[in-house]
Amino acid sequence: SSGINAEYGYRDPGITHRDVLKSGLRPTFQEFLRHLAEAEMDDINVHFQPQYRMLSLDQVHFDYVGALEHAEVQSAEILRHFVGQQDALAAVPGPYDGSS
């Protein structure tokens, strides 16, 4: 048994992502996450692979790797390094507010 009752859309919690795809049903979010967790990395679409796989760390030297969660603070540190100002973000115009 594939673990799928197509007539009622019932799915056994232990069903594999391959069984879901073979059945013609669209995977649930939980099935999609299980697929990402269980599949071989090379079998996963590049959009869902960890970013470090695309960085070519063995070929490119990175001086700085930041995190989007800390972009405001980190961008100020980077600007301070290159521009040399104490308040480096003050030298950068803010977002357009439509007032001019």
Side-chain angles (χ1 to χ4, degrees):
S1 164
S2 68
I4 298 175
N5 182 326
E7 181 179 353
Y8 298 106
Y10 170 80
R11 301 172 198 225
D12 180 342
I15 189 172
T16 69
H17 62 277
R18 285 185 173 78
D19 288 336
V20 171
L21 295 177
K22 286 180 197 174
S23 73
L25 296 173
R26 294 182 64 125
T28 64
F29 186 65
Q30 287 82 8
E31 290 165 344
F32 172 71
L33 293 179
R34 191 171 342 141
H35 164 67
L36 292 179
E38 294 174 357
E40 293 294 325
M41 198 57 62
D42 291 334
D43 295 336
I44 297 175
N45 183 296
V46 68
H47 295 93
F48 301 109
Q49 292 181 7
Q51 289 183 349
Y52 72 84
R53 289 182 56 100
M54 295 179 270
L55 292 177
S56 303
L57 294 173
D58 57 335
Q59 299 172 6
V60 178
H61 172 74
F62 292 91
D63 293 327
Y64 189 88
V65 176
L68 186 57
E69 297 83 2
H70 308 289
E72 187 173 341
V73 171
Q74 292 175 341
S75 60
E77 292 171 3
I78 293 168
L79 283 170
R80 210 172 3 264
H81 174 77
F82 288 106
V83 178
Q85 295 181 357
Q86 184 61 27
D87 188 10
L89 285 182
V92 178
Y96 176 70
D97 64 5
S99 62
S100 17

